[in-house]
Amino acid sequence: MAAALNIQKGTSKLSAYDLRDPNADIEERHTLAVIVDNEPGVLARVIGLFSGRGYNIDSLTVAEVDHTGHTSRITIVTTGTPAVIEQIKAQLGRIVPVHEVHDLTVEGPSVERELALFKVKSSGEKRVEALRLADIFRANVVDSTLESFVFEITGTPQKVDAFGELMRPLGLIEMARTGVAALSRGT
Amino acid sequence: MTQMTGAKMVVQALRDQGVEVIFGYPGGAVLPIYDEIFQQNDIQHILVRHEQGAVHMAEGYARSTGKPGVVLVTSGPGATNAVTGITDALMDSIPLVVLTGQVPTFMVGNDAFQEADTVGITRPCTKHNWLVKETDKLSETIHQAFHVATSGRPGPVLIDIPKDVQFATGTYQSARQAGKGHYSPRVKGDLEMITHLVEALETAERPIFYTGGGVINSGDAATQLLRELVDATGFPVTSTLMGLGAYPASGKNWLGMLGMHGLYEANLAMHDCDLMINIGARFDDRITGRVADFSPNSRKAHVDIDPSSINKTIRVDFPIVGDVAHVLEDMLRIWKSRGRKVNKEGLTRWWAQIAEWRKVDCLRYRNSDKIIKPQYALERLEALTKHRTDRYICTEVGQHQMWAAQFLGFEAPNRWMTSGGLGTMGYGLPASIGVQIAHPEALVINVAGEGSWLMNMQEMGTAVQYRAPVKQFILNNERLGMVRQWQSLLHGNRYSHSWSEALPDFVKLAEAFGCKGIKCEDPADLDDAIQEMLAYDGPVIFDCLVEKHENCYPMIPSGEPHNKMLLGDDTGEDAIKAGGAVLV
């Protein structure tokens, strides 16, 4: 019986067995990679599924990845209880143009990256400090005027968040983020 | 490679798919296809009176034949009128191929006359849909649409065809050339899990089969295998509304329907069992009642072709993804090879317990010699028609639907057409016409309430035009009976807008449509009136005036578990707790 399993969340991530209690009502963050036919409306189907059934989307990216096979890869970061995450995967799997659904969070180690652009407007010491922090975060300056910079930063969502927090008091006026792209590690 | 116009391709593709009948309504954006239909005789076109009627007819056709139903409607309002029927088919897993006309590709997005974003509107209510922008892709798309509609968990699909694509010439691909794409749902269940389930079967003391529409959708083989398994194991079997007929009502292991208005013995057996074997049902909220208290002491198996149905509302111990017929075949084979074992002592005690529950006689009602009770009307209808093996029953939605499920017995699958998931009032009349078109010689009866029936009554014109001798058996209580019942049970008898003060004279209405009308209000006349209806060679509207304040029991109030059923004697106003009032 599932109820008998009372295992602390997070202990099982690297276990050979999936020991997470499916009835636990603790919300988890999962990164899903969905391989779909690149046809009109496929993104609307995926988004409609999430909104229609009340699931969360924290991040969503999509692009064609195989030009000859006309397939696209949709990367979705979502949160939900283990039972909801299972439902999300099953519901995605039955969309007709969906070929594969991978849960990168449980299928082993994976890398996640996001690209972001930050426009910072400031002068004097703040301007110098922004540039110094950009250097520490290995952000590139991709546009510059006498009173502003546009920084380009790549990293995990947490790194992008951290950089954004630091830029806020230094004159951050606009930002754009791509959302998460993710791949499993190794072969 | 054959060259032809898109409009010709539509007809050719339907012919290739073995389509004999389509239900439709013409309009500007489908005129080229209608012109092709005019010039051929292979495919019969049934002209409906409203596009919703076309979809329900196709549903009735599909449910009664096991073949996909086909609908052809125009753009804009033609498509939007079809949406209710398409959603109904999605909820009940009915295979439909809906073809809609669309404004020409160069006008799409321009707010053109009779333009609607049909694929956008129908995306959430179809299994899949397509907008075809090139004539060269049209035939391939139609063939794939039939594949998607009929394989895996069946459902409605829609193809939106702009008018210029119908006029243009392209290359026709046959069904074989078109292929099936990558869509191929798994049909074989996991043998290891099936073996575990068989082990549980062998020792279970209080097992029950809980079957659903999936058995019927899986086909005749599934029905045969289910009957063999039930009879060989001696386990009791109950069914959802959608699954009636898979196991015969006269079968010795039959408990009757379960659920909100299911039989007492069926619901209590579900609650108290120690092994529940769900075959092709989906733990719908009308079945489970309060989820937290649903069958608390049982291990549960779930056989379903749709992985998303498994563990959706009820966690199960034996999840088996696969087609019912394939899984049952493996289950039977493994069970036989292991020596056909069952827990005989346990089963004997279990059946003794069920016999106790049966003594409650949950369908009893107080009959009257002054007024026709709806239950009595259905008992008489059953008595006078059950010898007909070609009897098909449709229903509308409401009290009459539940009484029909309780009082009519189904011996074979595909004989019972009702709107289960969506609960669409107005379903039954058009569905009955679709059934009759598929089975011209059969006895097709729509058990209706007057409220539902009026929602699509225009389709009597279709019945008369095509000489479909459907029998509309209307239990007329001059009330929206199920609404009235809920208002009685949990809204302090305040009957807000649940009765009609201006019903038509149904006999005159029948005459206006050019068919026969019969009115009956005296229980003593009922048998003769029903015989008159059955004897008449043509469509009949039967106005059966029944008791106006009868409630449908048993009833599991919303938010209650299976063992908290209301029976006919419980008429307390606060029978449903405040918490249940917010549930439907």
Side-chain angles (χ1 to χ4, degrees):
Chain A
M1 298 283 275
L5 274 175
N6 190 16
I7 291 159
Q8 285 289 303
K9 174 177 158 314
T11 56
S12 62
K13 204 167 168 187
L14 298 174
S15 162
Y17 301 94
D18 185 4
L19 296 174
R20 291 160 313 121
D21 181 351
N23 288 324
D25 51 6
I26 304 161
E27 297 221 328
E28 297 179 353
R29 177 183 181 277
H30 283 241
T31 304
L32 308 178
V34 189
I35 310 300
V36 300
D37 285 326
N38 184 16
E39 61 178 40
V42 66
L43 187 59
R45 281 178 217 285
V46 170
I47 293 170
L49 168 69
F50 277 74
S51 63
R53 293 185 184 266
Y55 306 141
N56 301 311
I57 298 180
D58 294 348
S59 163
L60 185 145
T61 60
V62 57
E64 188 171 76
V65 291
D66 178 357
H67 295 292
T68 48
H70 296 291
T71 53
S72 292
R73 183 181 179 103
I74 302 177
T75 308
I76 305 170
V77 180
T78 183
T79 48
T81 62
V84 166
I85 298 289
E86 286 307 310
Q87 262 298 299
I88 290 172
K89 289 189 270 182
Q91 293 287 353
L92 284 169
R94 72 185 195 136
I95 296 176
V96 171
V98 168
H99 290 250
E100 297 165 36
V101 179
H102 294 288
D103 185 344
L104 297 176
T105 305
V106 299
E107 286 179 12
S110 60
V111 284
E112 286 186 12
R113 289 295 180 268
E114 186 176 7
L115 186 143
L117 300 172
F118 291 88
K119 186 179 284 178
V120 178
K121 184 183 175 205
S122 52
S123 58
E125 189 52 37
K126 283 188 174 176
R127 186 168 157 87
V128 177
E129 180 63 16
L131 204 56
R132 196 159 33 222
L133 285 168
D135 191 41
I136 293 169
F137 275 77
R138 290 181 208 164
N140 298 319
V141 177
V142 291
D143 179 67
S144 175
T145 67
L146 289 176
E147 57 217 20
S148 71
F149 290 118
V150 174
F151 297 116
E152 173 211 294
I153 184 170
T154 308
T156 62
Q158 292 79 6
K159 178 182 170 184
V160 174
D161 285 345
F163 187 67
E165 284 308 307
L166 289 172
M167 287 300 113
R168 203 170 297 282
L170 299 177
L172 177 65
I173 55 171
E174 208 178 351
M175 66 188 286
R177 299 174 70 153
T178 59
V180 173
L183 279 181
S184 61
R185 288 179 186 271
T187 47
Chain B
M1 288 292 181
T2 323
Q3 297 288 306
M4 60 179 81
T5 65
K8 213 180 207 34
M9 275 185 196
V10 170
V11 174
Q12 184 57 42
L14 295 180
R15 205 182 276 129
D16 271 12
Q17 290 289 338
V19 173
E20 292 165 356
V21 186
I22 62 176
F23 302 90
Y25 202 98
V30 280
L31 284 176
I33 300 174
Y34 270 88
D35 200 35
E36 290 299 329
I37 289 172
F38 187 81
Q39 299 175 51
Q40 56 85 48
N41 287 316
D42 299 334
I43 298 167
Q44 187 190 11
H45 177 273
I46 304 294
L47 175 66
V48 302
R49 298 297 179 269
H50 185 287
E51 288 89 349
Q52 186 190 349
V55 185
H56 293 322
M57 282 182 212
E59 285 188 273
Y61 180 91
R63 287 191 207 209
S64 66
T65 60
K67 295 191 283 193
V70 182
V71 174
L72 174 60
V73 296
T74 194
S75 63
T80 56
N81 276 346
V83 165
T84 300
I86 295 171
T87 311
D88 190 272
L90 184 75
M91 292 288 271
D92 286 346
S93 306
I94 307 302
L96 295 185
V97 177
V98 180
L99 306 166
T100 54
Q102 182 55 279
V103 301
T105 47
F106 53 85
M107 293 181 81
V108 167
N110 251 333
D111 299 327
F113 177 64
Q114 293 198 329
E115 181 186 356
D117 176 8
T118 302
V119 288
I121 289 168
T122 59
R123 200 172 282 128
C125 67
T126 51
K127 186 174 171 186
H128 194 55
N129 63 12
W130 297 262
L131 170 65
V132 181
K133 290 180 177 165
E134 296 157 58
T135 307
D136 277 335
K137 296 254 175 77
L138 181 55
S139 51
E140 178 190 5
T141 304
I142 296 173
H143 293 310
Q144 284 187 2
F146 274 87
H147 171 65
V148 170
T150 53
S151 42
R153 180 176 177 176
V157 299
L158 181 144
I159 309 168
D160 202 25
I161 313 172
K163 195 171 182 181
D164 55 334
V165 172
Q166 300 169 33
F167 274 127
T169 300
T171 306
Y172 181 80
Q173 287 190 296
S174 69
R176 193 175 44 78
Q177 288 163 331
K180 291 178 174 175
H182 74 91
Y183 183 74
S184 57
R186 169 180 183 165
V187 292
K188 289 284 279 183
D190 176 46
L191 282 179
E192 200 178 329
M193 190 56 81
I194 294 173
T195 307
H196 287 316
L197 174 56
V198 169
E199 286 164 12
L201 288 181
E202 292 169 345
T203 54
E205 294 181 6
R206 301 183 307 280
I208 187 167
F209 286 111
Y210 148 46
T211 64
V215 182
I216 291 167
N217 276 336
S218 180
D220 289 343
T223 302
Q224 287 310 318
L225 289 161
L226 174 74
R227 291 172 180 209
E228 188 183 344
L229 183 64
V230 170
D231 292 339
T233 55
F235 292 179
V237 55
T238 180
S239 165
T240 66
L241 183 73
M242 299 306 299
L244 296 177
Y247 187 82
S250 61
K252 67 179 168 58
N253 296 356
W254 177 237
L255 297 186
M257 181 178 77
L258 82 161
M260 182 173 272
H261 293 286
L263 270 63
Y264 184 77
E265 48 269 38
N267 283 332
L268 282 195
M270 286 286 280
H271 188 268
D272 285 5
C273 66
D274 70 346
L275 178 65
M276 178 187 296
I277 307 140
N278 172 346
I279 303 176
R282 60 181 178 91
F283 294 110
D284 177 79
D285 57 81
R286 304 291 98 166
I287 299 302
T288 59
R290 183 161 62 208
V291 168
D293 295 322
F294 175 70
S295 192
N297 301 313
S298 61
R299 287 191 294 168
K300 299 174 185 73
H302 189 179
V303 180
D304 202 303
I305 199 158
D306 178 359
S308 75
S309 282
I310 289 175
N311 290 335
K312 186 169 69 178
T313 49
I314 302 291
R315 298 291 312 179
V316 296
D317 307 272
F318 307 96
I320 299 171
V321 175
D323 171 63
V324 167
H326 285 86
V327 174
L328 284 179
E329 190 178 16
D330 287 335
M331 209 190 293
L332 256 172
R333 182 173 46 73
I334 294 168
W335 180 70
K336 285 177 181 168
S337 70
R338 288 169 55 96
R340 297 168 166 264
K341 291 189 285 259
V342 292
N343 183 338
K344 286 212 175 76
E345 287 162 31
L347 276 176
T348 307
R349 281 196 301 275
W350 184 222
W351 277 110
Q353 171 65 65
I354 290 168
E356 286 299 310
W357 290 327
R358 276 181 169 153
K359 285 181 191 162
V360 169
D361 189 15
C362 66
L363 295 182
R364 74 189 181 282
Y365 62 96
R366 210 166 292 139
N367 208 351
S368 161
D369 56 4
K370 306 249 175 351
I371 187 140
I372 301 172
K373 290 281 188 163
Q375 299 96 324
Y376 178 71
L378 287 165
E379 275 184 344
R380 295 318 301 157
L381 185 70
E382 169 77 349
L384 297 171
T385 61
K386 73 174 177 188
H387 62 283
R388 295 278 300 257
T389 54
D390 63 344
R391 183 189 72 173
Y392 293 78
I393 302 285
C394 300
T395 75
E396 304 286 346
V397 168
Q399 284 183 324
H400 68 274
Q401 177 190 28
M402 293 297 109
W403 280 315
Q406 292 171 343
F407 286 88
L408 304 180
F410 297 93
E411 297 297 313
N414 307 102
R415 296 292 197 280
W416 165 248
M417 276 54 61
T418 193
S419 172
L422 194 64
T424 310
M425 293 171 69
Y427 166 85
L429 164 52
S432 69
I433 297 169
V435 174
Q436 191 82 72
I437 297 293
H439 310 276
E441 304 303 320
L443 170 61
V444 183
I445 303 170
N446 176 32
V447 176
E450 82 289 347
S452 290
W453 192 84
L454 288 172
M455 281 202 178
N456 268 327
M457 69 163 187
Q458 76 285 348
E459 300 305 331
M460 278 315 285
T462 308
V464 171
Q465 178 171 344
Y466 294 96
R467 295 189 176 84
V470 289
K471 312 304 182 200
Q472 303 300 316
F473 192 71
I474 302 173
L475 299 174
N476 182 354
N477 58 2
E478 300 171 7
R479 300 287 184 279
L480 305 179
M482 194 59 96
V483 173
R484 195 206 64 82
Q485 175 166 345
W486 282 62
Q487 289 171 334
S488 160
L489 290 172
L490 50 81
H491 292 280
N493 294 320
R494 290 181 295 280
Y495 299 126
S496 182
H497 299 271
S498 56
W499 78 91
S500 173
E501 291 178 4
L503 287 169
D505 179 328
F506 285 97
V507 175
K508 283 188 182 156
L509 188 65
E511 286 164 9
F513 273 115
C515 61
K516 184 178 177 65
I518 299 173
K519 182 175 178 174
C520 183
E521 50 191 327
D522 186 340
D525 299 337
L526 184 59
D527 275 25
D528 287 347
I530 291 175
Q531 293 288 17
E532 187 186 355
M533 172 182 86
L534 297 174
Y536 184 73
D537 184 19
V540 177
I541 301 174
F542 190 111
D543 184 16
C544 188
L545 290 165
V546 296
E547 163 65 52
K548 301 183 199 314
H549 305 106
E550 194 73 13
N551 281 346
C552 181
Y553 294 111
M555 176 176 182
I556 303 176
S558 273
E560 294 288 357
H562 275 173
N563 58 350
K564 298 256 172 71
M565 304 189 78
L566 303 180
L567 294 169
D569 305 331
D570 309 327
T571 47
E573 274 178 42
D574 47 353
I576 299 178
K577 293 193 193 108
V582 299
L583 304 166
V584 231

